Amino acid sequence: MKVGDNKSRPSAGAAASRAYGGAARTQGTGAATGAGAAQGGRVVSDSASIMGVPETELTPAVRSALMTLMGEVAELRRELDGMKSRLRDAELLADHDPLLPLLNRRAFVRELARVLSYSQRHKEPAGLVYVDLDGFKQLNDAHGHAAGDEALKHVAKVILSQVRESDFVGRLGGDEFGVIMMRADEEGAKHKALQIVQSIAGHPITVEGVKLELGASAGAVGLTGTEDPEAALKRADVAMYRVKRGGGT
């Protein structure tokens, strides 16, 4: 019997007698008689139960105890669901930058390790872009850290607008960003790096009525799959500084 069923039931002490193929059905687990025996001795049970306890044994005290227990089980399930939800939220916070809607460095390096492994196993190309803002310290000094935070949020939004759903974007440091590109060779990554730089330069930000021009430098490398994540980041970082010094990619 389902809890909350509105259908009337026989009293606990009454035996239910019903027609079943011309034979009487017997409550409990006794031997079949009469026409029931004529049908091959089939035994038909008509007992209902709550949590495995037969209804015939459900005294008011037992029924009350079972209902209390079932309520406690339901409450424990709600608490467990709540804990799972909070755990998912905590994992999300642990992987994301506290200021920007991007992966933090730890999570970014983890995803980079996965992409490197996938690239090596399946011989799939992948690319890594390293972006560094130009003159960010001067912006902070001239306009304050609040303006600097707004600039970082703006740049994060610009970068996200330039990548695919399959790409990973993270904040690697104060004003440094990384993009992992699946199924993109080095030339494709370099092209994306140029697009990101041009988009940042083409979208100035206004903070408290002051228009701030932003600039960035970006380097890109292809991922071989044979190096560790930190080595790949180092190569991309070197490529970025080569661009910043005017030496090209």
Side-chain angles (χ1 to χ4, degrees):
M1 181 180 74
K2 295 181 181 179
V3 176
D5 194 340
N6 293 323
K7 294 182 179 179
S8 60
R9 299 289 181 182
S11 62
S17 177
R18 302 176 185 176
Y20 182 81
R25 297 175 65 184
T26 306
Q27 279 196 321
T29 56
T33 59
Q39 294 183 23
R42 179 178 178 184
V43 178
V44 180
S45 174
D46 195 33
S47 293
S49 67
I50 296 179
M51 296 185 70
V53 180
E55 190 175 14
T56 54
E57 299 179 14
L58 289 179
T59 64
V62 171
R63 181 185 293 273
S64 176
L66 286 176
M67 297 301 289
T68 299
L69 178 59
M70 293 171 70
E72 292 175 352
V73 169
E75 181 61 27
L76 286 173
R77 285 175 176 169
R78 285 192 292 269
E79 291 180 3
L80 180 59
D81 289 342
M83 291 177 64
K84 288 179 178 179
S85 177
R86 289 191 292 275
L87 179 59
R88 286 192 295 269
D89 292 342
E91 290 174 343
L92 186 65
L93 290 174
D95 281 350
H96 283 73
D97 184 83
L99 178 66
L100 310 177
L102 307 177
L103 296 176
N104 57 28
R105 184 183 180 95
R106 181 188 65 83
F108 186 86
V109 171
R110 182 193 65 217
E111 295 302 331
L112 180 55
R114 290 178 179 175
V115 170
L116 286 166
S117 177
Y118 182 90
S119 178
Q120 183 179 32
R121 185 183 309 114
H122 299 282
K123 307 303 179 184
E124 289 276 4
L128 175 61
V129 178
Y130 202 110
V131 182
D132 181 73
L133 298 186
D134 297 333
F136 185 69
K137 182 179 183 304
Q138 290 80 358
L139 186 152
N140 269 330
D141 292 343
H143 302 281
H145 289 286
D149 287 349
E150 290 303 314
L152 290 173
K153 293 175 183 178
H154 177 73
V155 169
K157 183 178 179 180
V158 170
I159 294 175
L160 288 172
S161 72
Q162 295 296 313
V163 301
R164 305 165 299 180
E165 288 291 332
S166 59
D167 297 333
F168 298 95
V169 183
R171 185 184 184 189
L172 304 178
D175 62 339
E176 298 175 327
F177 304 86
V179 180
I180 304 169
M181 302 181 64
M182 297 288 292
R183 295 182 175 86
D185 59 15
E186 185 164 315
E187 287 305 312
K190 288 181 177 180
H191 179 68
K192 180 56 63 180
L194 181 59
Q195 282 185 330
I196 290 173
V197 168
Q198 291 174 339
S199 186
I200 292 173
H203 293 83
I205 183 175
T206 300
V207 179
E208 296 182 353
V210 179
K211 184 178 180 180
L212 303 178
E213 301 286 346
L214 302 174
S217 300
V221 296
L223 299 175
T224 65
T226 59
E227 57 194 338
D228 62 53
E230 292 298 339
L233 282 171
K234 181 63 177 178
R235 285 199 302 119
D237 189 24
V238 169
M240 182 273 296
Y241 273 107
R242 189 182 302 124
V243 173
K244 191 178 286 285
R245 292 194 299 267
T249 58

